[in-house]
């Protein structure tokens, strides 16, 4: 990672600048300039104000400059399982593939091998910020946290909590789970400006009431955010109802124990929510991580993204590795647009398909909101950026918007030639 330590920290970048201030349209500055002061965007414009005329320009020529991608939901220990067991539904898949893999992360050598590759692949595919589940193991979760810090990428990293309904090798003693989580947060809070801890109950079926209560209290005490899963699969929802008949719905269980927007919260999937749950999400400003690859692979369904957007819910994109088989957010953007067309047909053309600008927004500013002013080139936003060289993709005479669409659908990591996080140029991680 390269950092500027001089007194005057001003950089000017030139290229075809593309971002989405709102989902409805792209903001484009063809042959434009981005002025970055103290690692934050001051101006994205077609010209340079006179007061900056003494600053040399970093010129990327005909390349595209876009915000870095944001992944709101992935499971780092599941990385070796990508592409495995995807002919199963969620609950059998957890039992047969996921839980046995996650049990391996008491082995620090194995954890280092896998987690180094996870962080490298996120870098390679232009994911500059991510929200990550680790495993129940404190030591290897701390390792993952430190690898993110070393890489220069931004992340929330969570130690998973599970004290019921999981294999013996993964089930935690309730008090030990609480103690370990507290220790993890105390050891990592304030350690980095862009890598932070997050409270992570796996989901309601694997967490007792006592554990959920204490995690909710801990989130409030330390003022840290929360991540979990909600209404991914119909059998999962039925199971939650059997476990908690005292609550009217799945979201109400989390809400009762301070895990549903009392602190900033991400819920992954949200495919089968009731109107009451969606209203509660709106009231509590809960974020949704839309994970289309996983939802298709595990026969969970298609999230009605348009419905959530129309209700004013914050929505971002998640790779959900390894239920999702692709880690690149530009791939997630493409499949999000594609399956929204199927949802449009399923709803008698009521829920309009997502446009290219909308899925781009979800994968940048939409998810970036969870990190603050991230995911756009508006004034005051942290300069997270990718430089895209799409010269190897066929097609001439295209507009900038068409070039972005072409990259989303046909590009790959080789088109990403530079990466910046919070104003710093990020080189390929090289872990010792």
């Amino acid at each position: 990672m390269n950092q500027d330590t001089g007194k005057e920290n001003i950089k000017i970048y030139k290229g075809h600048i593309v971002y989405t201030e709102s989902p409805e349209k792209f903001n484009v500055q063809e042959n434009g300039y981005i002025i970055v002061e103290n690692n934050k965007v001051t101006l994205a414009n077609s010209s340079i104000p006179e007061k900056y005329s003494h600053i040399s320009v970093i010129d990327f020529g005909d390349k595209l400059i876009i915000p870095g991608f944001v992944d709101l939901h992935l499971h780092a220990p599941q990385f070796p399982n990508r592409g495995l067991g995807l002919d199963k539904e969620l609950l059998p898949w957890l039992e047969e593939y996921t839980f046995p893999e996650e049990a391996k992360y008491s082995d620090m050598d194995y954890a280092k091998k896998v987690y180094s590759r996870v962080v490298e692949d996120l870098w390679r595919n232009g994911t500059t910020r991510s929200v990550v589940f680790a495993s129940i193991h404190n030591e290897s979760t701390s390792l993952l946290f430190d690898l993110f810090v070393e890489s220069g990428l931004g992340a929330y990293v969570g130690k998973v909590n599970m004290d019921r309904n999981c294999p013996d090798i993964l089930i935690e003693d309730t008090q030990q789970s609480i103690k370990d989580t507290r220790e993890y947060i105390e050891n990592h809070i304030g350690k980095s400006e862009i890598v932070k801890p997050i409270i992570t109950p796996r989901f309601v079926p694997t967490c007792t009431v006592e554990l959920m209560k204490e995690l909710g209290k801990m989130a409030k005490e330390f003022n840290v955010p929360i991540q979990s899963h909600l209404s991914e699969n119909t059998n999962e929802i039925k199971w939650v109802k059997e476990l908690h008949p005292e609550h009217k719905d799945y979201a109400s269980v989390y809400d009762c124990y301070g895990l549903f927007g009392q602190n900033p919260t991400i819920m992954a999937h949200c495919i089968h929510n009731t109107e009451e749950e969606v209203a509660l999400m709106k009231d509590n400003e809960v974020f949704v991580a839309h994970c289309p690859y996983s939802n298709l692979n595990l026969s969970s369904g298609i999230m009605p993204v348009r419905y959530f957007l129309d209700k004013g819910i914050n929505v971002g994109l998640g790779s959900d590795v390894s239920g999702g088989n692709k880690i690149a957010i530009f791939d997630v953007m493409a499949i999000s647009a594609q399956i929204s067309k199927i949802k449009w047909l399923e709803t008698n053309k009521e829920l309009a398909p997502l446009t290219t600008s909308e899925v781009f927004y979800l994968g940048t500013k939409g998810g970036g909101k969870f990190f603050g002013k991230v995911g756009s080139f508006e004034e005051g936003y942290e300069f997270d950026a990718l430089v895209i060289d799409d010269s190897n993709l066929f097609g001439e005479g295209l507009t900038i918007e068409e070039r972005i669409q072409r990259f989303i659908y046909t590009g790959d990591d080789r088109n990403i030639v530079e990466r910046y996080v919070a104003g710093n140029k990020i080189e390929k991680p090289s872990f010792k």
Side-chain angles (χ1 to χ4, degrees):
M1 181 174 71
N2 299 330
Q3 281 189 296
D4 297 300
T5 56
K7 187 175 181 180
E8 185 178 51
N9 185 2
I10 302 174
K11 293 289 183 69
I12 301 177
Y13 303 92
K14 183 182 179 184
H16 302 308
I17 300 162
V18 187
Y19 61 102
T20 44
E21 188 171 339
S22 67
E24 290 76 28
K25 65 175 184 177
F26 284 106
N27 296 67
V28 176
Q29 288 286 349
E30 194 165 353
N31 294 309
Y33 300 86
I34 299 179
I35 299 171
V36 178
E37 296 188 67
N38 298 317
N39 301 325
K40 294 183 179 180
V41 176
T42 296
L43 184 68
N45 199 23
S46 58
S47 61
I48 304 172
E50 177 63 29
K51 69 176 182 177
Y52 299 106
S53 60
H54 65 291
I55 305 294
S56 61
V57 174
I58 300 169
D59 191 346
F60 290 111
D62 192 45
K63 298 178 178 65
L64 306 167
I65 306 175
I66 67 174
F69 297 132
V70 179
D71 189 338
L72 282 189
H73 184 69
L74 72 144
H75 295 261
Q78 295 178 23
F79 186 82
N81 276 0
R82 288 175 306 160
L84 298 178
L86 300 183
D87 52 353
K88 297 184 178 297
E89 287 193 52
L90 173 66
L91 299 180
W93 173 79
L94 286 171
E95 290 290 337
E96 187 167 340
Y97 285 92
T98 300
F99 289 150
E101 178 62 31
E102 290 193 9
K104 298 176 182 178
Y105 290 82
S106 59
D107 181 336
M108 290 296 289
D109 289 336
Y110 185 75
K112 177 72 177 292
K113 177 182 177 181
V114 174
Y115 287 163
S116 297
R117 176 65 186 278
V118 171
V119 175
E120 181 182 323
D121 261 32
L122 289 169
W123 172 89
R124 186 165 56 84
N125 287 284
T127 301
T128 51
R129 309 265 179 160
S130 51
V131 185
V132 186
F133 278 60
S135 66
I136 65 167
H137 309 97
N138 246 15
E139 190 177 3
S140 58
T141 301
S142 297
L143 169 66
L144 178 60
F145 187 104
D146 291 342
L147 291 173
F148 271 109
V149 173
E150 186 178 346
S151 74
L153 300 176
Y156 283 104
V157 179
K159 177 226 169 298
V160 171
N161 299 99
M162 299 192 291
D163 67 340
R164 66 172 176 176
N165 296 325
C166 56
D168 289 346
I169 197 168
L170 284 176
I171 198 165
E172 299 178 289
D173 172 79
T174 303
Q175 293 306 313
Q176 190 65 46
S177 182
I178 295 165
K179 179 178 179 292
D180 287 350
T181 302
R182 175 174 290 275
E183 179 182 291
Y184 170 70
I185 294 172
E186 288 177 340
N187 288 343
H188 295 86
I189 196 165
K191 193 173 183 178
S192 166
E193 291 186 3
I194 62 170
V195 185
K196 302 176 182 181
I198 185 169
I199 294 286
T200 309
R202 184 181 211 103
F203 65 158
V204 166
T206 59
C207 297
T208 62
V209 167
E210 182 181 3
L211 179 57
M212 286 189 282
K213 280 182 179 178
E214 292 303 316
L215 292 176
K217 291 177 184 176
M218 211 179 300
K220 185 176 181 181
E221 176 186 350
F222 290 102
N223 192 28
V224 294
I226 298 155
Q227 63 175 343
S228 197
H229 302 82
L230 178 66
S231 299
E232 178 178 359
N233 181 278
T234 54
N235 287 334
E236 168 205 10
I237 296 167
K238 181 181 177 182
W239 192 14
V240 170
K241 188 64 179 174
E242 291 169 354
L243 290 168
H244 293 278
E246 72 278 14
H247 292 289
K248 64 180 178 180
D249 52 41
Y250 198 159
S252 297
V253 183
Y254 289 120
D255 189 52
C256 180
Y257 305 118
L259 297 168
F260 205 71
Q262 291 82 356
N263 284 59
T265 300
I266 295 173
M267 288 287 155
H269 307 298
C270 300
I271 301 170
H272 306 287
N273 293 103
T274 65
E275 290 184 10
E276 292 83 358
E277 287 178 306
V278 174
L280 184 62
M281 296 173 81
K282 169 66 174 174
D283 290 344
N284 290 7
E285 299 183 351
V286 171
F287 280 71
V288 177
H290 175 40
C291 307
Y293 275 115
S294 177
N295 299 159
L296 293 174
N297 288 334
L298 300 176
S299 305
S300 296
I302 301 174
M303 179 193 166
V305 179
R306 174 67 62 200
Y307 176 77
F308 281 79
L309 294 177
D310 288 347
K311 293 291 184 180
I313 307 294
N314 291 309
V315 181
L317 300 181
S319 64
D320 195 23
V321 167
S322 70
N325 55 298
K326 299 279 191 179
I327 202 169
I329 292 300
F330 50 84
D331 287 332
V332 180
M333 288 177 181
I335 194 70
S336 294
Q338 290 164 342
I339 67 168
S340 74
K341 297 169 186 176
I342 304 303
K343 180 59 72 173
W344 176 59
L345 296 175
E346 280 184 354
T347 59
N348 198 26
K349 299 188 177 180
E350 275 189 30
L351 299 180
L354 299 174
T355 65
T356 304
S357 68
E358 286 176 320
V359 294
F360 187 89
Y361 177 91
L362 296 182
T364 54
K365 185 178 177 179
K369 286 182 186 178
F370 194 75
F371 292 84
K373 287 191 171 184
V374 168
S376 180
F377 294 145
E378 298 162 62
E379 182 180 358
Y381 273 65
E382 295 187 63
F383 185 63
D384 287 15
L386 306 175
V387 179
I388 307 297
D389 181 354
D390 62 341
S391 59
N392 68 320
L393 304 178
F394 289 105
E396 296 181 359
L398 302 180
T399 66
I400 301 301
E401 291 94 331
E402 288 171 331
R403 287 172 62 181
I404 283 291
Q405 185 177 53
R406 181 180 61 178
F407 166 67
I408 290 171
Y409 280 92
T410 69
D412 59 39
D413 60 277
R414 293 170 296 182
N415 298 113
I416 304 172
V417 295
E418 300 282 4
R419 300 149 180 87
Y420 296 84
V421 179
N424 297 307
K425 184 177 177 181
I426 308 300
E427 304 292 354
K428 182 178 179 180
S430 180
F431 302 117
K432 296 178 182 178

